[in-house]
Amino acid sequence: MVTSRIVFSSLSLLVALILCFSPIHCSNTIGKGYRLISIEESPDGGFIGYLQVKQKNKIYGSDITTLRLYVKHETDNRLRVHITDAKKQRWEVPYNLLPREQPPPVGKVIGKSRKSPITVQELSGSELIFSYTTDPFSFAVKRRSNGQTLFNTSSNSAFGEMVFKDQYLEISTSLPKDASIYGLGENSQANGIKLVPNEPYTLYTEDVSAINLNTDLYGSHPVYMDLRNVGGKPYAHAVLLLNSNGMDVFYRGTSLTYKVIGGVFDFYFVAGPSPLDVVDQYTSLIGRPAPMPYWSLGFHQCRWGYRNLSVIEDVVDSYQKAKIPLDVIWNDDDHMDAKKDFTLSPISYPRAKLLNFLDRIHKMGMKYVVINDPGIGVNSSYGVYQRGMANDVFIKYEGKPFLAQVWPGAVHFPDFLNPKTVSWWGEEIRRFHELVPIDGLWIDMNEVSNFCSGLCTIPKGKKCPTGEGPGWICCLDCKNITKTRWDDPPYKINATGVQAPIGFKTIATSALHYNGVREYDAHSIYGFSETVATHKGLLSIEGKRPFILSRSTFVGSGKYAAHWTGDNQGTWQSLQVSISTMLNFGIFGVPMVGSDICGFYPQPTEELCNRWIEVGAFYPFSRDHANYYSPRQELYQWDTVAESARNALGMRYKILPYLYTLNYEAHVTGAPIARPLFFSFPEYTECYGSSRQFLLGSGLMISPVLEQGKTEVEALFPPGSWYQMFDMTQAVVSKKGKRVTLPAPLNFVNVHLYQNTILPMQQGGLISKEARTTPFSLVITFPAGASEGYAKGKLYLDEDELPEMKLGNGQSTYVDFYASVGNGTVKMWSDVKEGKFALSKGWVIEKVSVLGLRGAGQASEIVINGSPVSNEGKKVEVSLKEHTYVVGLEEEGENKSVMVEVRGLEMLVGKDFSMSWKMGINGAN
């Protein structure tokens, strides 16, 4: 059902609106902008100015006459520019939902009109400079260190002046042609992570399948990172427009224009200058990523269609028989009674039998996660509904709970902006946990998704849903809602890629939340508000670290939840796109992210599933999930896929200590777990558009096959030495970086470790709990053949279900590892902080592998903690192997190199150690 459009009586107005669909001409058609009439310092150290509209018009509504400008350097590297109505409060993302500094309240206009000539003024901070022009008002943000302009709203031939109406805000910035832009999601970007000029970027949360390219999907993240190479030196910064209203963003290569249908301009600029600095500064504003329990980094298996308990019991047993790692088994809505939240089917999942199953897998160390949708079934005998009605927790339309349809049939949607709803939701989670001891919650359909549109009633005399055919067909009696400007705003964002009405298949946008907040404004934060409430509820149950997977996300969601990229397809294109989406969410501050491995629907080919697990094994969140109507696609269903899974997941389970340390680093600094290559190699411009490879952390590179029928892969190697993880004698070495064609047979994925790295590993296993008890090894990489070198790494360990992920609680340990080579001596040592926890676990380092050493000949004079070690009669074993090169030192004109392994060690992880040996490094050629 499509909401009717406004019919314009004025031909000239209609022509103006047609022109406005061309982003180049729209602003010039709309108005002449504002003039700055006063500016003065505010008591909090910021600056307040007032802007007056220059010429009013009625296109997209009336202009707001007077605006309040607030500018503040909130930190050394963060600048805020906030523009709103000077006389009355406008909608903003709630400060209690996303905590941040509040600007002074709006009110009476202060100051008098300037009579001085138009001038340019500057407000300087440590890293960023804000400058403005008075008439017409525009502003620019510059980097202090090099004077480069990062953002500039001064009009030019590409765009016009700022526009600020009640339901239409527009502002533009010029950009240098060579800037690389990333972000502005959530969408599926077929052309890779780097934004492409003149493609649509609409931000409005929708239940639109991720197979739809370049359209607004489940989340809204109005932030972009801008990476530039200036004179051979890289500089990155980010721009956030903190606004939850629907918006179109037009990127044209040399400019970027925002067209927003409400709220305020609330810009945050973070200075970088490195990509890691950018995400550090950005997440310090929006919230650091959530700590994840160790088990969540294991492999997960799910399917919509595990119709009864015996099916998931068989899935768990089949993974064990196939010797494929599995940590978490999931249920979609199959476990529910008639698809109602917080219930259990007495027939398909009888509680006593389910509890026995969960007791068995919990003892093994496995976990159980179930789905939960926000829609609460309208059913007078349903306790969750009864308590919700009694507590008045639902979103209202004309004073009554808004009626929609999702899987259980007719539903109401909880209003998570209401404190009473948050308490009620937490209590329902507690009640369900008493029924079933779940280990996490998967919150889906929270954009919010509705199978109907408009104002609906439950039909009389017929069953709804019928129980036949697809469950997503609307069966309520509904009529369009077009009577308010909130349901049919004057500017149509490009919703779902076809300018669909903004209330289509969701909550009517004139419906009301707590305190009179309109769905029109709060729509895109619905999933975020549910995530916050769910996190609070889970945390209160047992005091354990919550695990939440949310489909809809907003700025700040990463502080509470992981994300999966929604309903993808079992196609090669979906596999390729999954990498870009994953990398974008790292920039968005949601590092725990992954896609449905092998595709949600339809069934993938055997070859595609092989290649997908070779990628998905290295997603931060690694889960196989499939559609109800697709054939089974667990990893053991094909022998070749099972082999690929054992190989790729086998490596994942060995590097779990590294992934968990990256989880800690993300929580402390915002650093993504999976990163674009340019995060580690920003000077290497060749990798700015790379979207077919990715890094885990700073130096572990995955180069998968992403095309049908290929048995080799062309991989981009930034300058330096790279060592293959499945055979560490294999190396790729290049001084300047290059593309290299690598063999990639069906069951093999190329994973390479960069020089100057110390990678902590364990021996793996079929469950993370089991893998975590095995001895450690260290892989140390030096530049191949170098006579001198230095490497470092780190390791974080803790009691992983504690709510906090931090040092100082007596149940965590942090270790810095260091290594050097020079003058024929190899040295390595550790610096342990709070080693008591690691010592209590008895963890030891059993093996050290040092790669890239120059020369040949055996290592000698091994010294550990100051004491010489003799090989005679000892368990310590030393071996040496020469590296071979796919592209190597002979081509680069350097010396050959070797790998030395020392086994049989018993160095305690929780205690400082030192180790050294001598070998014929300098003398060999």
Side-chain angles (χ1 to χ4, degrees):
M1 299 179 185
V2 180
T3 307
S4 63
R5 305 295 188 199
I6 295 175
V7 178
F8 296 96
S9 59
S10 168
L11 179 61
S12 61
L13 182 58
L14 181 58
V15 171
L17 289 172
I18 292 171
L19 282 173
C20 282
F21 283 107
S22 167
I24 292 178
H25 299 292
C26 190
S27 289
N28 293 330
T29 305
I30 290 179
K32 298 185 181 299
Y34 288 76
R35 67 170 62 89
L36 182 68
I37 59 174
S38 70
I39 190 165
E40 65 181 32
E41 191 168 356
S42 62
D44 66 353
F47 288 84
I48 292 178
Y50 290 89
L51 309 174
Q52 192 173 71
V53 70
K54 296 188 67 175
Q55 180 179 313
K56 292 185 178 181
N57 64 68
K58 296 292 186 180
I59 301 172
Y60 299 141
S62 300
D63 297 275
I64 293 178
T65 305
T66 309
L67 303 177
R68 201 277 303 276
L69 166 71
Y70 174 71
V71 181
K72 186 179 181 183
H73 292 277
E74 292 189 336
T75 69
D76 286 347
N77 46 47
R78 186 173 78 228
L79 169 70
R80 186 180 190 183
V81 179
H82 183 278
I83 302 173
T84 188
D85 189 328
K87 296 181 180 179
K88 65 178 183 179
Q89 184 71 38
R90 287 180 61 81
W91 165 258
E92 298 184 44
V93 175
Y95 284 83
N96 63 339
L97 193 65
L98 185 66
R100 59 201 188 278
E101 291 186 33
Q102 293 199 42
V106 295
K108 185 178 178 181
V109 176
I110 61 172
K112 297 180 179 180
S113 298
R114 290 184 181 271
K115 297 185 178 181
S116 56
I118 296 172
T119 59
V120 175
Q121 303 288 335
E122 291 188 347
L123 306 174
S124 296
S126 298
E127 299 293 337
L128 298 172
I129 299 172
F130 174 87
S131 63
Y132 60 88
T133 301
T134 305
D135 188 3
F137 171 75
S138 66
F139 71 89
V141 178
K142 297 180 181 179
R143 189 183 298 280
R144 175 183 282 277
S145 63
N146 62 6
Q148 189 170 49
T149 299
L150 309 184
F151 198 89
N152 185 0
T153 70
S154 179
S155 64
N156 57 35
S157 61
F159 57 83
E161 306 297 343
M162 182 179 77
V163 180
F164 204 118
K165 300 169 185 280
D166 191 26
Q167 288 183 270
Y168 183 79
L169 286 67
E170 181 177 325
I171 197 167
S172 302
T173 179
S174 53
L175 292 168
K177 191 174 183 179
D178 60 351
S180 295
I181 309 296
Y182 312 90
L184 296 177
E186 177 181 10
N187 59 21
S188 295
Q189 296 172 201
N191 292 308
I193 187 174
K194 188 175 174 180
L195 298 192
V196 176
N198 302 316
E199 286 195 351
Y201 298 100
T202 297
L203 281 70
Y204 190 70
T205 61
E206 300 266 17
D207 178 6
V208 176
S209 170
I211 68 174
N212 294 279
L213 303 177
N214 300 321
T215 189
D216 46 322
L217 298 180
Y218 312 105
S220 176
H221 294 270
V223 60
Y224 69 85
M225 180 186 290
D226 180 331
L227 176 61
R228 308 175 188 179
N229 193 284
V230 183
K233 188 172 182 181
Y235 292 90
H237 68 275
V239 179
L240 166 68
L241 172 55
L242 186 55
N243 184 306
S244 63
N245 290 84
M247 68 179 78
D248 290 331
V249 184
F250 295 92
Y251 170 55
R252 293 180 290 273
T254 57
S255 65
L256 188 146
T257 298
Y258 299 91
K259 299 183 179 186
V260 194
I261 61 173
V264 302
F265 288 133
D266 193 4
F267 283 103
Y268 291 85
F269 303 88
V270 294
S274 76
L276 280 174
D277 291 333
V278 167
V279 291
D280 185 1
Q281 296 154 13
Y282 180 57
T283 57
S284 73
L285 167 67
I286 67 167
R288 300 296 195 191
M292 293 289 161
Y294 201 89
W295 56 262
S296 69
L297 293 167
F299 184 68
H300 304 243
Q301 179 62 53
C302 185
R303 175 181 170 81
W304 179 28
Y306 287 151
R307 300 186 182 189
N308 54 56
L309 178 60
S310 64
V311 178
I312 63 170
E313 289 177 318
D314 179 69
V315 170
V316 170
D317 291 342
S318 295
Y319 267 93
Q320 290 180 318
K321 290 175 185 175
K323 298 192 181 304
I324 300 172
L326 179 66
D327 258 77
V328 191
I329 187 71
W330 293 56
N331 263 131
D332 206 309
D333 62 12
D334 304 288
H335 69 285
M336 295 179 180
D337 181 16
K339 303 186 185 302
K340 300 192 299 291
D341 281 349
F342 304 118
T343 65
L344 203 58
S345 168
I347 298 171
S348 301
Y349 284 81
R351 182 170 182 255
K353 291 184 178 179
L354 178 60
L355 292 180
N356 286 337
F357 168 71
L358 295 182
D359 183 60
R360 176 169 73 90
I361 67 167
H362 282 152
K363 286 177 180 176
M364 292 162 54
M366 290 184 63
K367 305 295 180 179
Y368 179 59
V369 176
V370 299
I371 200 170
N372 208 62
D373 295 337
I376 300 300
V378 177
N379 186 323
S380 59
S381 63
Y382 173 33
V384 178
Y385 170 77
Q386 293 170 345
R387 291 185 289 273
M389 292 295 290
N391 283 281
D392 192 23
V393 301
F394 298 116
I395 292 171
K396 302 284 181 57
Y397 186 85
E398 296 183 342
K400 298 178 181 179
F402 178 77
L403 188 72
Q405 180 189 329
V406 200
W407 300 114
V411 300
H412 297 322
F413 292 118
D415 174 13
F416 293 104
L417 299 183
N418 186 341
K420 287 174 60 178
T421 306
V422 175
S423 298
W424 162 81
W425 189 252
E427 175 63 14
E428 296 302 335
I429 292 174
R430 185 195 63 77
R431 286 172 175 266
F432 184 63
H433 190 270
E434 288 181 354
L435 186 71
V436 185
I438 55 170
D439 299 292
L441 275 176
W442 169 19
I443 51 177
D444 192 11
M445 309 287 286
N446 53 351
E447 294 72 31
V448 71
S449 178
N450 179 2
F451 298 159
C452 302
S453 299
L455 182 61
C456 302
T457 57
I458 298 174
K460 295 181 179 179
K462 67 175 183 178
K463 186 179 179 183
C464 176
T466 63
E468 299 178 0
W472 56 82
I473 302 300
C474 179
C475 56
L476 301 178
D477 290 336
C478 303
K479 63 180 180 179
N480 292 340
I481 303 175
T482 58
K483 60 186 178 182
T484 77
R485 62 193 179 101
W486 311 111
D487 298 297
D488 194 12
Y491 176 78
K492 315 301 183 205
I493 61 171
N494 193 31
T496 71
V498 294
Q499 291 190 341
I502 56 175
F504 181 68
K505 295 295 182 77
T506 188
I507 299 170
T509 44
S510 54
L512 296 179
H513 293 251
Y514 179 67
N515 274 349
V517 170
R518 291 187 187 88
E519 169 69 9
Y520 180 89
D521 295 310
H523 171 83
S524 287
I525 62 170
Y526 188 90
F528 178 38
S529 63
E530 185 197 14
T531 301
V532 174
T534 304
H535 188 275
K536 184 175 182 180
L538 283 175
L539 189 60
S540 68
I541 295 172
E542 293 181 316
K544 289 185 177 181
R545 190 175 299 175
F547 176 79
I548 301 165
L549 184 72
S550 179
R551 189 168 75 176
S552 186
T553 59
F554 186 71
V555 176
S557 286
K559 182 178 179 181
Y560 305 96
H563 173 64
W564 95 106
T565 64
D567 296 347
N568 58 2
Q569 276 190 315
T571 64
W572 292 93
Q573 185 178 56
S574 280
L575 170 59
Q576 295 160 15
V577 167
S578 74
I579 295 177
S580 298
T581 308
M582 170 184 68
L583 297 178
N584 263 327
F585 269 87
I587 294 172
F588 297 154
V590 190
M592 188 65 166
V593 59
S595 294
D596 287 345
I597 293 169
C598 298
F600 183 61
Y601 68 95
Q603 184 186 29
T605 64
E606 182 175 350
E607 180 191 3
L608 175 59
C609 203
N610 269 280
R611 294 309 190 185
W612 209 318
I613 187 56
E614 291 169 359
V615 179
F618 300 99
Y619 291 154
F621 172 66
S622 183
R623 184 183 73 159
D624 182 317
H625 180 44
N627 183 286
Y628 185 93
Y629 298 98
S630 298
R632 297 279 291 270
Q633 63 182 47
E634 293 85 3
L635 301 179
Y636 53 78
Q637 297 288 347
W638 299 275
D639 289 343
T640 62
V641 176
E643 184 179 350
S644 293
R646 284 188 289 268
N647 292 339
L649 288 172
M651 179 58 71
R652 180 188 183 92
Y653 274 62
K654 289 176 182 177
I655 64 169
L656 281 177
Y658 178 64
L659 291 175
Y660 194 66
T661 301
L662 292 176
N663 177 22
Y664 173 73
E665 187 178 348
H667 180 57
V668 173
T669 70
I673 296 172
R675 306 173 190 176
L677 271 59
F678 69 75
F679 263 65
S680 289
F681 304 96
E683 302 88 355
Y684 187 52
T685 57
E686 287 291 314
C687 69
Y688 282 15
S690 178
S691 303
R692 300 172 72 87
Q693 298 165 260
F694 58 95
L695 297 170
L696 291 177
S698 61
L700 193 65
M701 185 168 71
I702 320 301
S703 305
V705 171
L706 302 174
E707 294 175 312
Q708 185 177 0
K710 300 289 186 180
T711 55
E712 57 185 25
V713 62
E714 185 184 80
L716 178 65
F717 283 85
S721 300
W722 296 86
Y723 301 92
Q724 197 221 93
M725 287 295 295
F726 289 95
D727 179 358
M728 295 179 191
T729 66
Q730 300 284 324
V732 174
V733 182
S734 174
K735 283 185 177 179
K736 297 181 179 180
K738 60 176 61 181
R739 294 187 181 276
V740 179
T741 299
L742 301 170
L746 185 62
N747 303 123
F748 180 81
V749 58
N750 278 280
V751 181
H752 288 82
L753 184 63
Y754 191 57
Q755 65 187 35
N756 308 324
T757 302
I758 301 180
L759 178 70
M761 300 176 66
Q762 286 176 284
Q763 294 179 2
L766 298 181
I767 298 175
S768 65
K769 180 180 179 181
E770 160 194 318
R772 208 178 184 199
T773 64
T774 62
F776 279 81
S777 62
L778 300 178
V779 180
I780 301 170
T781 59
F782 292 118
S787 58
E788 294 184 350
Y790 186 78
K792 61 181 180 179
K794 49 199 167 187
L795 175 64
Y796 176 82
L797 302 159
D798 70 1
E799 197 63 65
D800 72 297
E801 293 198 351
L802 290 174
E804 297 283 343
M805 190 180 210
K806 64 180 183 180
L807 294 173
N809 57 12
Q811 298 188 72
S812 55
T813 294
Y814 184 87
V815 186
D816 282 305
F817 297 109
Y818 304 95
S820 67
V821 59
N823 298 319
T825 301
V826 179
K827 296 179 181 179
M828 62 205 69
W829 64 100
S830 68
D831 180 8
V832 179
K833 296 178 179 65
E834 303 183 29
K836 181 179 177 181
F837 172 73
L839 291 172
S840 72
K841 299 294 184 181
W843 282 313
V844 297
I845 299 168
E846 186 271 337
K847 183 179 73 169
V848 171
S849 302
V850 184
L851 316 184
L853 293 173
R854 183 180 180 187
Q858 291 298 317
S860 61
E861 300 181 40
I862 298 176
V863 177
I864 300 177
N865 297 329
S867 300
V869 176
S870 171
N871 290 349
E872 296 180 9
K874 299 285 185 179
K875 292 189 295 182
V876 175
E877 299 176 359
V878 182
S879 62
L880 181 146
K881 296 179 182 178
E882 188 172 305
H883 288 300
T884 56
Y885 306 102
V886 177
V887 173
L889 296 182
E890 299 90 343
E891 183 176 319
E892 299 289 334
E894 296 285 351
N895 296 295
K896 292 184 178 181
S897 62
V898 297
M899 173 179 79
V900 172
E901 282 193 349
V902 183
R903 298 174 176 269
L905 302 171
E906 294 181 348
M907 298 185 296
L908 292 169
V909 172
K911 188 175 180 180
D912 291 350
F913 74 84
S914 63
M915 180 177 177
S916 65
W917 68 74
K918 293 186 180 298
M919 61 181 299
I921 296 174
N922 289 330
N925 292 308

